[in-house]
């Protein structure tokens, strides 16, 4: 019987990316399949706190094994911003485009364009928490490149590559991305069980 695990999100891009990486070993159940469409509070000051808060919320609501991730883009020239506020950098009801526009505006004229994406996953299994972290270093571009992926993908070129995440196939991106690295750790952990 295939293992099922709830993912604490309704972000279809994230679900597709994670399911592609996990493959057929585990079926991930997004919240909408459980009829849950509300936003889960994210009031932590770190990615780890937010991942834990979301996972705990879902575990307490449904009583089933689940995991949640929080991802942030940390830009050195901006003192680590947008960081934990990456998804709502330009405001609460902002779009990916709004966030990118603000980032490019704030990076205008900056010579240090180094940044990194970080993902922290909190898995709750039988009430116990485990954490997995992935980091991908790179640079912020001066304009958008590509139309694949989501979020800041069009303005992030990973270290050692000549194209943005948004120019890569999902498979290529997952091999080197922060989320891909964290998910592989999660899969390795689950595979040992």
């Amino acid at each position: 019987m295939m293992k099922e695990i709830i993912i604490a999100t309704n972000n279809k891009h994230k679900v597709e990316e994670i399911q592609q990486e996990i493959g057929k070993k585990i079926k991930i159940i997004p919240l909408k399949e459980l009829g849950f469409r509300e936003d889960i509070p994210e009031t932590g000051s770190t990615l780890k706190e937010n991942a834990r808060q979301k996972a705990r919320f879902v575990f307490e609501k449904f009583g089933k094994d689940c995991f949640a991730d929080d991802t942030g883009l940390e830009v050195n020239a901006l003192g680590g911003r947008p960081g934990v506020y990456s998804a709502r950098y330009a405001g609460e009801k902002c779009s990916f485009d709004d966030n990118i526009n603000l980032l490019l505006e704030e990076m205008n004229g900056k010579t240090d364009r180094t940044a990194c994406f970080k993902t922290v996953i909190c898995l709750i299994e039988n009430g116990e928490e485990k954490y997995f972290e992935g980091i991908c270093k790179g640079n912020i571009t001066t304009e958008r490149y590509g139309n694949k992926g989501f979020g800041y993908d069009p303005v992030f070129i990973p270290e050692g590559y000549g194209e943005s995440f948004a120019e890569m196939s999902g498979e290529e991106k997952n091999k080197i991305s922060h989320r891909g690295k964290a998910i592989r750790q999660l899969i390795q952990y689950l595979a040992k069980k």
Side-chain angles (χ1 to χ4, degrees):
M1 192 172 119
M2 185 188 296
K3 180 170 177 63
E4 291 186 349
I5 190 163
I6 299 169
I7 178 171
T9 189
N10 275 319
N11 179 327
K12 72 178 179 113
H13 301 289
K14 192 184 282 190
V15 172
E16 286 165 6
E17 201 172 271
I18 291 172
Q19 189 66 68
Q20 183 178 8
E21 187 63 34
I22 286 179
K24 294 179 173 47
K25 302 175 186 94
I26 299 162
K27 176 165 174 41
I28 61 170
I29 316 273
L31 293 174
K32 70 177 184 187
E33 280 186 31
L34 301 169
F36 186 84
R37 296 184 191 283
E38 299 164 43
D39 283 334
I40 300 172
E42 288 182 61
T43 56
S45 58
T46 66
L47 299 174
K48 185 176 181 179
E49 285 173 14
N50 277 345
R52 181 186 187 279
Q53 186 177 22
K54 290 187 280 189
R56 271 277 146 220
F57 182 93
V58 170
F59 184 77
E60 285 164 15
K61 182 157 185 67
F62 297 102
K64 294 186 173 163
D65 291 353
C66 64
F67 70 95
D69 81 303
D70 200 26
T71 294
L73 174 65
E74 298 177 356
V75 180
N76 292 328
L78 301 178
R81 286 184 296 119
V84 75
Y85 303 106
S86 293
R88 52 196 183 279
Y89 192 41
E92 278 305 318
K93 299 290 179 195
C94 65
S95 67
F96 292 147
D97 274 341
D98 296 334
N99 287 332
I100 289 173
N101 290 340
L102 179 59
L103 177 66
L104 290 177
E105 186 182 306
E106 291 192 338
M107 288 298 289
N108 195 18
K110 302 246 191 279
T111 52
D112 178 4
R113 303 193 75 85
T114 57
C116 73
F117 266 122
K118 279 187 188 170
T119 292
V120 177
I121 293 174
C122 175
L123 167 71
I124 300 184
E125 197 178 31
N126 303 318
E128 280 186 50
E129 296 171 13
K130 295 261 187 249
Y131 293 91
F132 309 91
E133 182 176 279
I135 295 173
C136 182
K137 294 179 179 179
N139 291 285
I140 302 300
T141 60
T142 54
E143 58 186 275
R144 290 173 172 78
Y145 294 98
N147 56 12
K148 297 176 190 151
F150 66 102
Y152 296 93
D153 287 358
V155 294
F156 184 84
I157 295 182
E159 219 172 59
Y161 289 80
E163 57 186 10
S164 75
F165 272 162
E167 294 174 287
M168 298 178 175
S169 69
E171 222 168 68
E172 282 178 294
K173 178 187 170 187
N174 283 342
K175 279 181 190 167
I176 58 169
S177 80
H178 46 294
R179 188 173 288 115
K181 291 173 183 176
I183 287 294
R184 281 190 291 282
Q185 291 173 36
L186 170 67
I187 293 166
Q188 284 165 2
Y189 170 77
L190 292 172
K192 289 178 190 167
K193 304 216 133 222

